[in-house]
Amino acid sequence: MIEFYSSQSTVTDPGDLRRWIDAVPADPSSIREAAARLVFHYWAYGDITGHGISADRIGEINLRYADALLARAAELGPGSPLARRAPAERVVGCCRDHTVIFLAVARHHGIAARARYGFADYLIPGWWLDHMIPEVWDPAEGRWRLVEPEFEEGWTPPGATRPLPLTDVPRDRFLTGARAWRLCRDGRADPERFVVAPGIERPSLRSWPYLVHNVVFDLAAMNKQEMISWDLWGMLDSPHPPGEAAFPLADELAALLEDPALTPERLRAAYDDPALRVPPVIATYAPPDHRRERVTLRPARD
């Protein structure tokens, strides 16, 4: 399992930017800091134009692959990836882009790392917000650590008095899609608090339908398909959000993903379901207009 996550995916392969990211030391703290400094979140700090970023750069949020993200970052600021940057010198993106860059650099150094889709309670108090962060293998302790690459060292969540431990995020602060699903199914968490954003009332982007969404996305990520959050395929690409008919499958997948004895072979077997596997062509609904578009993906690595 560790070896599987030490190699690049099609998404995270840095391509010709390998030399540029060589400047980042091969330790999770430095990699996390570089990932935090290379991306500027497209809505977390208000309108990007208020930070010296032109409105026409919003399309950068659709840079799917690490080589494109890193190339754009190097174009905006050709110095060290670890250098501090003004907002306009960062790629316009979101949590997914911070995560993809972290994975690209970690795997480049042979460090086992993987993406996890789920929900964080430290972004807006009282809510579990849709979020994606990486996990990195800690060989000294023999466990996976959750890492938060969106914020620079010392970041303190809203309403908190202490900084969040960014290289070892507590597992009660970030829930993987599988963990969130099981807690809600067991009645230990309120599904109505799990949302893309509190003000978005669209049924498919909150509660049970979005919990299903993140279980499926987490399965794809565990198979090294690190998708953009507004991508849809298979059982998710439907005019109607997933209903109760999807619950037994979500139960099965969540149990699988939570199993400490999980193997790549079992992951691949579950992922081979046509309703779950990412196909060569997907639908995407990119902001700001969220129009449906079809995207042909690069062939996935076996």
Side-chain angles (χ1 to χ4, degrees):
M1 180 69 80
I2 306 306
E3 183 179 353
F4 178 62
Y5 294 113
S6 300
S7 62
Q8 300 289 1
S9 69
T10 301
V11 171
T12 64
D13 188 340
D16 294 339
L17 275 297
R18 292 183 185 91
R19 286 188 178 182
W20 192 57
I21 60 177
D22 272 341
V24 182
D27 69 84
S29 294
S30 297
I31 298 169
R32 195 208 64 74
E33 199 68 11
R37 293 176 179 179
L38 292 175
V39 178
F40 188 82
H41 200 289
Y42 78 106
W43 64 259
Y45 306 101
D47 190 331
I48 59 172
T49 62
H51 300 273
I53 303 171
S54 62
D56 60 2
R57 285 183 53 192
I58 192 66
E60 292 173 12
I61 60 175
N62 294 310
L63 293 174
R64 181 174 299 274
Y65 299 101
D67 58 355
L69 284 163
L70 292 168
R72 181 57 173 150
E75 178 184 20
L76 291 166
S80 167
L82 277 168
R84 294 188 179 277
R85 294 167 171 242
E89 296 175 314
R90 304 183 183 194
V91 182
V92 177
C94 65
C95 59
R96 187 259 181 189
D97 305 299
H98 291 283
T99 297
V100 166
I101 289 175
F102 181 95
L103 296 177
V105 181
R107 291 170 176 173
H108 173 65
H109 287 304
I111 298 170
R114 61 195 185 188
R116 302 308 302 262
Y117 285 85
F119 301 88
D121 78 340
Y122 49 78
L123 300 173
I124 297 180
W127 295 92
W128 288 98
L129 259 63
D130 174 47
H131 200 42
M132 175 185 178
I133 63 175
E135 277 184 322
V136 64
W137 179 252
D138 184 334
E141 297 191 9
R143 67 182 179 95
W144 290 97
R145 288 175 178 262
L146 291 168
V147 176
E148 175 53 85
E150 187 172 320
F151 307 103
E152 295 198 38
E153 192 62 39
W155 179 78
T156 300
T161 57
R162 295 181 180 178
L164 187 74
L166 300 176
T167 55
D168 195 6
V169 178
R171 290 187 179 270
D172 61 352
R173 305 300 309 272
F174 176 88
L175 303 176
T176 66
R179 183 64 177 158
W181 177 263
R182 297 189 77 181
L183 288 174
C184 289
R185 287 287 273 167
D186 292 346
R188 289 181 286 164
D190 180 1
E192 300 306 317
R193 311 308 292 177
F194 290 78
V195 299
V196 171
I200 299 177
E201 298 294 339
R202 187 173 177 179
S204 62
L205 300 181
R206 59 193 307 123
S207 191
W208 293 112
Y210 209 76
L211 285 157
V212 172
H213 173 283
N214 273 10
V215 172
V216 175
F217 267 66
D218 203 34
L219 175 68
M222 291 284 278
N223 279 276
K224 291 167 66 175
Q225 275 279 19
E226 298 92 0
M227 304 302 288
I228 298 177
S229 294
W230 40 85
D231 292 338
L232 293 179
W233 70 90
M235 65 176 286
L236 299 178
D237 188 17
S238 168
H240 307 290
E244 291 188 11
F247 285 16
L249 177 57
D251 287 339
E252 181 181 333
L253 294 176
L256 174 78
L257 293 171
E258 287 273 279
D259 186 347
L262 183 61
T263 64
E265 292 74 24
R266 292 174 64 201
L267 269 173
R268 282 194 289 268
Y271 184 55
D272 277 340
D273 184 335
L276 302 171
R277 188 176 186 87
V278 177
V281 180
I282 61 163
T284 195
Y285 294 79
D289 52 19
H290 302 285
R291 289 182 298 181
R292 179 185 174 93
E293 296 181 13
R294 289 171 63 81
V295 175
T296 299
L297 302 175
R298 295 177 185 174
R301 298 184 179 188
D302 293 331

